[in-house]
């Protein structure tokens, strides 16, 4: 996840930690229709399709709560609200509480941009059981994602090559191959999905959220945004401040940063997470199997990546583990402290010539299933990010900026810097330097920052709270590790979030949870 990693460093949403119906498309049959008056037809959910990541239909929750899915019509172009429509896929499970205690629907966006909420919500719903006592839990595939008129770029075979090739060029030839590969990917997006590309900006998704609120029958939008979902929620609050209900932002995007600043912040954030991982390994009572000291752990990882740049090792047959794939796998594991032991195992294996675990982590980050099929998260990430962000960075600019990125992260700086070229040849102009989230008059929004968050560094929470405006953004700090706070199961964090969403109790600004 946002997960705002550049495409070749891979895409991660919260749902990326998860290990065919006809796609809703654009049509002319609904021209002139007032989509705010539509009634949703809820049915049993089908199995996720390839664009959503595949797998089985969502199982009932332990209390026999059944998952229901529906397709909501939305204007393709919000500038022409009675023109062509697209279908947005929704999922819900009804509240466990009494009807007279029901507040409404609580809509989740789990991040990305590009993550399928329809696939993610069932995977994480048990962790939100307390919230379900007063809300229907709802999520959705944003436009361009999953079943919601997905952006399609390259095929599975092409994506295998795209994610394997060298993302940190050392000479002119490697740089040309990298830039050519990016151009080919972007051209494929335009060729296969040109009609939807101008209409996947976060402002479009925010208007979809307001339509969803109306169609679900809620007077206010009750919302839980994670990672990129906090940016989406902030844009919604800016556009519709009087319609904000109870809202929580967790793993908070810094809305004051442009794409370069965000990438540099991630370089620092992931370096911090790597430092914490290495320190944790060597501090355990038993011997750390991947280094004798914190610096030794990091030095050995750096040597591994250098070796892989020259000679890949066996990965998951028939693919080899390249430097790029290994870097993606390490980044994936740094999103959550729960994966640190897995990362240790993967590094230990790689030092012995077996790259399968690191490649599995890389595949998870890139949205590749075991059968070799990719979801559309990489394509959607690129389309949404490039439509949102106005700056375009060429190779010469990146090369000038490399020293600062390397200073921020000797291990990840090059990869994150070169990822900035992902939008250079994009077919749609970017909307703005950064999103506007100012929301005077909105209800309080609880903004939760994690001091050890690698993907959305902690400083973003304060920036978001300040940008939302006085009396709107209420900052809460969690002194922990990993991407996000609520899912850490920290009792202090969950008590504060639940207290606001369920009972309307806003915690004091500046509350700290440890």
């Amino acid at each position: 996840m946002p997960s705002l990693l550049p495409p070749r460093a891979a895409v991660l949403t919260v749902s990326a930690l998860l290990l065919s119906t006809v796609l809703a498309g654009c049509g002319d049959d609904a021209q002139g229709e007032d989509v705010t008056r539509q009634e949703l037809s809820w049915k049993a959910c089908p199995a996720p399709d390839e664009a959503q990541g595949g797998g089985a239909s969502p199982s009932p929750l332990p209390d026999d709560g059944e998952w229901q899915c529906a397709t909501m019509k939305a204007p393709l172009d919000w500038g022409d609200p009675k023109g062509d429509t697209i279908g947005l896929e929704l999922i819900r499970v009804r509240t466990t509480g009494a009807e007279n205690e029901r507040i409404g629907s609580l809509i989740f966006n789990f991040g990305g941009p590009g993550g399928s909420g329809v696939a993610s919500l069932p995977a994480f719903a048990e962790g939100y059981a307390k919230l379900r006592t007063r809300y229907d839990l709802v999520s959705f595939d944003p436009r361009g994602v999953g079943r919601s008129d997905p952006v399609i770029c390259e095929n599975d075979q092409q994506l295998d090559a795209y994610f394997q090739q060298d993302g940190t060029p050392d000479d002119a030839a490697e740089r040309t191959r990298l830039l050519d590969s990016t151009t080919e990917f972007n051209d494929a997006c335009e060729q296969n999905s040109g009609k939807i590309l101008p209409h996947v900006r976060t402002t479009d998704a925010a208007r979809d959220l307001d339509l969803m609120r109306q169609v679900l029958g809620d007077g206010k939008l009750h919302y839980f945004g994670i990672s990129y979902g906090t940016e989406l929620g902030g844009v919604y609050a800016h556009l519709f401040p009087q319609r904000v209900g109870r809202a929580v932002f967790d793993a908070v995007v810094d809305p004051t940063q442009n794409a370069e600043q965000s990438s540099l912040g991630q370089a620092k954030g992931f370096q911090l997470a790597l430092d914490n991982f290495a320190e944790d390994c060597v501090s355990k009572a038993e011997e750390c199997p991947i280094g004798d000291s914190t610096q030794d752990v990091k030095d050995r990882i750096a040597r591994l990546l250098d070796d892989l740049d020259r000679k890949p090792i066996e990965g998951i047959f028939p693919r080899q583990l390249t430097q790029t794939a290994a870097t993606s796998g390490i980044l994936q594991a740094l999103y959550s402290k729960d994966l640190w032991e897995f990362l240790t195992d993967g590094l230990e294996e790689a030092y012995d010539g077996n790259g399968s675990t690191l490649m599995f982590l890389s595949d998870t980050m890139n949205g590749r299933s075991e059968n070799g099929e990719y979801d559309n998260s990489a394509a959607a990430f690129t389309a949404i990010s490039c439509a949102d962000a106005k700056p375009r960075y060429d190779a010469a600019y990146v090369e000038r900026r490399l020293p600062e990125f390397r200073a921020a992260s000797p291990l990840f700086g090059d990869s994150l810097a070169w990822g900035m070229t992902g939008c250079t040849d994009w077919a749609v102009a970017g909307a703005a330097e950064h999103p506007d989230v100012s929301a005077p008059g909105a209800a309080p929004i609880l903004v939760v920052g994690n001091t050890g968050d690698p993907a959305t560094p902690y400083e973003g929470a304060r920036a978001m709270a300040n940008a939302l405006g006085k009396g709107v953004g209420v900052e809460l700090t969690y002194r922990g590790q990993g991407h996000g706070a609520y899912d850490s199961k920290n009792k202090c964090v969950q008590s504060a979030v639940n207290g606001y969403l369920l009972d309307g109790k806003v915690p004091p600004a500046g509350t700290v949870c440890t």
Side-chain angles (χ1 to χ4, degrees):
M1 2 158 81
S3 291
L4 291 180
L5 286 172
R8 204 169 310 273
V11 180
L12 181 80
T13 63
V14 176
S15 63
L17 299 174
L18 304 172
L19 270 187
S20 141
T21 56
V22 177
L23 298 173
C26 306
D28 298 326
D29 58 333
Q31 285 193 349
E33 177 183 357
D34 182 355
V35 292
T36 65
R37 298 180 179 274
Q38 66 185 294
E39 293 187 9
L40 299 179
S41 177
W42 294 99
K43 299 177 181 177
C45 294
D49 64 16
E50 180 181 346
Q52 293 172 307
S57 300
S59 301
L61 290 169
D63 60 3
D64 295 326
E66 296 286 345
W67 293 101
Q68 299 175 312
C69 288
T71 302
M72 182 184 78
K73 292 180 181 179
L76 168 65
D77 180 358
W78 274 104
D80 182 17
K82 293 191 176 181
D84 292 355
T85 63
I86 57 174
L88 303 182
E89 195 74 3
L90 277 60
I91 189 169
R92 75 174 181 186
V93 63
R94 302 305 296 269
T95 180
T96 56
E99 183 62 29
N100 63 349
E101 295 183 347
R102 178 181 178 274
I103 296 172
S105 296
L106 181 63
I107 301 178
F108 289 79
N109 181 283
F110 293 94
S116 167
V118 173
S120 296
L121 183 58
F124 297 114
E126 288 188 50
Y128 303 112
K130 186 75 172 177
L131 301 176
R132 196 175 153 223
T133 60
R134 300 199 67 189
Y135 292 97
D136 297 341
L137 304 186
V138 178
S139 193
F140 63 107
D141 288 354
R143 54 176 59 216
V145 177
R147 274 200 173 95
S148 297
D149 205 39
V151 175
I152 302 297
C153 298
E154 295 186 322
N155 62 34
D156 294 332
Q157 184 177 6
Q158 291 169 321
L159 287 172
D160 271 345
Y162 179 74
F163 286 121
Q164 285 285 86
Q165 82 152 14
D166 194 340
T168 56
D170 301 312
D171 54 41
E174 289 184 354
R175 182 183 65 187
T176 297
R177 285 195 294 271
L178 173 66
L179 298 177
D180 286 349
S181 172
T182 301
T183 299
E184 290 167 6
F185 179 89
N186 292 352
D187 287 348
C189 298
E190 183 178 12
Q191 180 178 348
N192 294 323
S193 300
K195 188 172 183 179
I196 188 70
L197 295 185
H199 306 295
V200 295
R201 293 189 171 98
T202 298
T203 50
D204 296 310
R207 296 184 185 282
D208 294 338
L209 268 179
D210 198 57
L211 175 61
M212 205 176 303
R213 172 194 64 79
Q214 295 175 74
V215 172
L216 291 169
D218 290 331
K220 301 279 188 178
L221 178 76
H222 307 298
Y223 181 76
F224 199 134
I226 302 164
S227 195
Y228 163 77
T230 67
E231 180 178 329
L232 174 58
V235 170
Y236 179 91
H238 173 69
L239 293 175
F240 308 106
Q242 301 303 321
R243 301 175 194 172
V244 174
R246 299 176 186 177
V248 172
F249 295 173
D250 186 6
V252 186
V253 172
D254 187 335
T256 68
Q257 293 183 334
N258 63 23
E260 178 185 355
Q261 293 165 333
S262 177
S263 292
L264 187 61
Q266 285 198 324
K268 296 174 182 177
F270 278 103
Q271 187 64 43
L272 174 63
L274 181 71
D275 293 345
N276 292 336
F277 159 74
E279 183 177 346
D280 178 76
C281 186
V282 299
S283 69
K284 296 183 184 302
E286 65 271 18
E287 180 182 0
C288 176
I290 56 171
D292 298 327
S293 67
T294 298
Q295 191 60 48
D296 186 39
V297 171
K298 294 187 289 185
D299 288 344
R300 291 190 68 189
I301 294 173
R303 286 197 298 272
L304 171 67
L305 295 179
D306 285 342
D307 290 343
L308 292 173
D309 192 27
R310 292 186 291 270
K311 185 179 180 181
I313 61 175
E314 179 183 351
I316 297 176
F317 184 82
R319 295 172 298 146
Q320 292 186 314
L321 182 75
T322 63
Q323 180 193 52
T324 299
T327 302
S328 295
I330 294 167
L331 288 168
Q332 165 72 93
L334 293 176
Y335 267 87
S336 171
K337 191 173 182 179
D338 291 341
L339 294 177
W340 285 6
E341 184 176 353
F342 202 31
L343 176 56
T344 300
D345 292 342
L347 290 169
E348 192 174 12
E349 293 169 4
Y351 295 146
D352 290 332
N354 176 6
S356 59
T357 296
L358 289 182
M359 177 153 276
F360 173 78
L361 287 166
S362 176
D363 286 347
T364 302
M365 194 175 201
N366 294 327
R368 188 186 195 272
S369 64
E370 292 183 7
N371 65 7
E373 294 180 345
Y374 285 86
D375 63 24
N376 92 307
S377 57
F381 173 91
T382 304
I384 297 167
S385 299
C386 295
D388 277 348
K390 189 174 184 178
R392 298 291 186 254
Y393 308 103
D394 61 17
Y397 184 86
V398 170
E399 288 181 332
R400 291 196 300 272
R401 304 294 292 127
L402 280 173
E404 186 171 0
F405 274 79
R406 288 168 178 163
S409 175
L411 205 68
F412 306 123
D414 277 47
S415 177
L416 287 159
W418 281 107
M420 294 193 301
T421 62
C423 295
T424 302
D425 299 318
W426 195 248
V428 177
E433 283 280 332
H434 55 79
D436 191 344
V437 301
S438 59
I445 297 173
L446 183 57
V447 178
V448 186
N450 181 350
T451 58
D453 196 317
T456 50
Y458 168 67
E459 294 77 10
R462 176 150 305 173
M464 175 67 81
N466 290 338
L468 287 167
K470 187 176 181 180
V472 179
V474 178
E475 185 183 4
L476 181 149
T477 294
Y478 168 52
R479 300 195 182 280
Q481 300 294 331
H483 188 42
Y486 189 88
D487 285 341
S488 72
K489 299 181 174 58
N490 178 273
K491 291 183 179 179
C492 171
V493 172
Q494 293 197 337
S495 176
V497 170
N498 293 345
Y500 182 42
L501 290 177
L502 296 174
D503 302 316
K505 296 178 181 177
V506 182
T511 296
V512 177
C513 293
T514 57

